[in-house]
């Protein structure tokens, strides 16, 4: 039988959206070790790593079609922002094609931002741009692949511009599964 890597962590992630990013960040190491996560468990993780950045703006992992339906229905999402690296571009472009389907006619915009090689200052400028553009729209979903590192740093910047207390921003980042490289950058915001 197939051994599921870190099974207890997987079940915790399925049951607790704040743990999904932490688990997803470990997946490249699982694959490198030749381990696989069965599709039925991946389906349970899809769309789970979602939380509100500021009122009306939700963040999370790369959404599948079911997650998009839920976001449209539950949160009335009309705008989607994908934060990607060069290695994610095809996946983000495919999402753009998916959003052209009639089922997703309620999605008004799909903005794609390539963060490859970004410095902390670039993240700050991007977070400020997104805050100014979407903070009054109350209908936006921002994602990367796992919804924790790139999206987490952008979320922290947006919360900073919204006037959140620094300790709350840092706590939100750590609870979302942001890795230590990105967490270390919080002091620069």
């Amino acid at each position: 039988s197939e051994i599921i890597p870190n099974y207890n962590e997987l079940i915790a992630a399925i049951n607790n959206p704040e743990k999904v990013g932490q688990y997803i960040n470990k997946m490249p190491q699982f694959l490198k070790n030749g381990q696989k996560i069965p599709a039925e468990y991946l389906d349970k993780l899809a769309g789970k790593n979602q939380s509100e950045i500021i009122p009306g703006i939700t963040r999370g992992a790369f959404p599948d079609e079911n997650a998009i339906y839920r976001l449209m229905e539950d949160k009335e999402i009309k705008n989607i922002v994908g934060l990607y690296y060069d290695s994610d571009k095809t996946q983000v472009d495919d999402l753009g094609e998916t959003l052209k389907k009639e089922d997703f006619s309620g999605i008004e915009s799909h903005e794609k931002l390539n963060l490859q090689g970004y410095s902390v200052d670039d993240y700050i400028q991007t977070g400020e741009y997104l805050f100014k553009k979407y903070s009054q729209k109350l209908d936006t979903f921002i994602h990367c692949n796992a919804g924790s590192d790139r999206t987490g740093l952008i979320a922290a910047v947006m919360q900073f511009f919204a006037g959140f207390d620094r300790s709350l921003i840092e706590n939100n980042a750590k609870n979302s599964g942001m890795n230590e490289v990105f967490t270390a950058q919080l002091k620069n915001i």
Side-chain angles (χ1 to χ4, degrees):
S1 81
E2 191 169 355
I3 296 173
I4 300 171
N6 297 38
Y7 179 78
N8 290 335
E9 286 182 50
L10 172 61
I11 298 306
I14 289 170
N15 294 320
N16 182 350
E18 292 181 350
K19 303 260 184 220
V20 174
Q22 294 168 352
Y23 190 80
I24 290 174
N25 276 335
K26 294 178 181 178
M27 289 174 75
Q29 186 61 44
F30 298 155
L31 296 174
K32 191 175 178 183
N33 294 340
Q35 297 171 302
K36 295 182 181 170
I37 300 167
E40 66 267 18
Y41 288 99
L42 288 175
D43 290 343
K44 290 177 184 179
L45 286 175
K48 288 272 192 173
N49 190 21
Q50 295 178 359
S51 61
E52 194 168 69
I53 297 172
I54 58 175
I57 299 181
T58 303
R59 63 175 273 187
F62 190 92
D64 63 4
E65 287 190 30
N66 291 329
I68 296 168
Y69 284 124
R70 285 192 307 273
L71 287 163
M72 290 173 61
E73 193 171 291
D74 299 345
K75 303 213 180 262
E76 300 178 7
I77 294 298
K78 294 185 177 114
N79 302 290
I80 296 177
V81 178
L83 308 172
Y84 70 96
Y85 289 150
D86 293 343
S87 59
D88 305 323
K89 185 168 181 354
T90 301
Q91 186 181 20
V92 172
D93 288 345
D94 289 349
L95 176 62
E97 291 302 310
T98 297
L99 294 174
K100 291 178 183 176
K101 292 180 182 177
E102 188 174 325
D103 294 349
F104 300 115
S105 61
I107 299 295
E108 297 171 0
S109 72
H110 177 227
E111 186 167 0
K112 301 178 274 187
L113 301 173
N114 186 340
L115 304 182
Q116 187 76 38
Y118 263 37
S119 68
V120 175
D121 288 340
D122 294 329
Y123 271 91
I124 292 170
Q125 289 175 359
T126 301
E128 181 179 21
Y129 159 77
L130 291 172
F131 177 77
K132 288 177 179 176
K133 183 170 183 177
Y134 294 106
S135 65
Q136 299 302 312
K137 293 193 178 197
L138 306 178
D139 59 4
T140 303
F141 178 68
I142 299 174
H143 72 87
C144 58
N145 198 24
S148 53
D149 296 331
R150 287 168 270 178
T151 304
L153 194 51
I154 291 293
V157 172
M158 293 178 78
Q159 290 173 341
F160 173 80
F161 282 105
F164 282 47
D165 180 72
R166 180 169 290 282
S167 62
L168 179 62
I169 293 170
E170 290 173 0
N171 190 46
N172 288 344
K174 289 174 187 167
N175 287 336
S176 71
M178 186 185 293
N179 76 34
E180 60 277 353
V181 173
F182 280 82
T183 303
Q185 301 305 318
L186 292 174
K187 68 181 181 305
N188 298 312
I189 296 173

